[in-house]
Amino acid sequence: QIQHTATGILLVLAALSLMTFLTTLWRQIATNRPDSSPLPLVAAGAASACIAAGGVVMGTVSAPELTGTYPLPSADILRLANDLGFGLVALGGMWATAVAVAVLCYQARAAGLFGSRLAILGQIAAGLLVLSLLFVPIIPLLAWTAVVGIIQAKTHHTSKSPVPSTPARV
C-alpha cells in the first residue's frame, strides 16, 4: 500500500518536473525563433496531465488505506487502479512526451540550440517513447533529459561573457 501511494506521489512530482523542463527548453527555442510552434507546450501539458493522473489513480486506492478510513478493497481493485494508472502514464503520457520531444528537437535544431547528433538522439528517444507499452520508457527519457540538461548548462555557462574589469582606453 505504501509503495502504491509513493508511486502516485512520485509520478505527480515527475510530471511537474517534466513540464518545467520541456517548457524551459521551448522558451529558449522561442527566444531564438519567435515563430516556433507551441505544439511542444501543448504536448508537454498533455503528457504532464496524463502522467500525474496516472499517479493519482495508482495511489487513490491505497492512500486512504494508510489512514485507516476505508475497508481494505479486493486485490482486483488494486490491480485495476495500478493497470489504469500505468495505461495513463505509458500510453497517454509517454506518447504525448514523444510528440513534445520530437518537435522540440526539430525546433531546437532549427534555432541553432542543438547540433545534429543531439537532435537525432532526441528523435530516437521520442521513437522509443512511442514503444512505451512494451517496456519501461523512463530510461530513454531520463537519458535524453540528462544529456540536454548537461549540454544546456555547459552552453549557458560558456556563453556568459566576462565583465571587463578595466575600462577600454580611448
Side-chain angles (χ1 to χ4, degrees):
Q1 292 172 355
I2 291 173
Q3 291 174 342
H4 282 275
T5 304
T7 298
I9 292 168
L10 291 174
L11 280 170
V12 171
L13 294 175
L16 294 172
S17 298
L18 179 65
M19 180 69 179
T20 302
F21 180 80
L22 296 175
T23 301
T24 301
L25 183 57
W26 185 83
R27 286 182 58 199
Q28 291 174 351
I29 293 166
T31 299
N32 289 358
R33 290 194 64 150
D35 61 336
S36 297
S37 167
L39 176 61
L41 288 178
V42 174
S48 295
C50 287
I51 293 168
V56 169
V57 168
M58 286 181 184
T60 296
V61 176
S62 58
E65 287 304 313
L66 295 174
T67 62
T69 55
Y70 295 102
L72 186 63
S74 71
D76 291 335
I77 299 295
L78 284 171
R79 276 192 289 275
L80 174 66
N82 193 51
D83 291 347
L84 180 59
F86 180 79
L88 283 165
V89 172
L91 187 59
M94 291 303 114
W95 285 23
T97 302
V99 170
V101 169
V103 177
L104 280 171
C105 287
Y106 174 79
Q107 289 179 342
R109 176 77 175 122
L113 294 176
F114 284 10
S116 61
R117 289 189 298 180
L118 187 55
I120 290 170
L121 177 66
Q123 299 303 330
I124 291 169
L128 290 173
L129 289 171
V130 172
L131 301 174
S132 60
L133 289 175
L134 303 177
F135 70 101
V136 179
I138 197 71
I139 296 167
L141 181 59
L142 285 175
W144 179 77
T145 56
V147 169
V148 170
I150 290 168
I151 289 173
Q152 291 297 97
K154 282 184 178 180
T155 304
H156 181 69
H157 179 69
T158 58
S159 69
K160 290 184 177 180
S161 59
V163 178
S165 57
T166 57
R169 294 185 182 191
V170 180

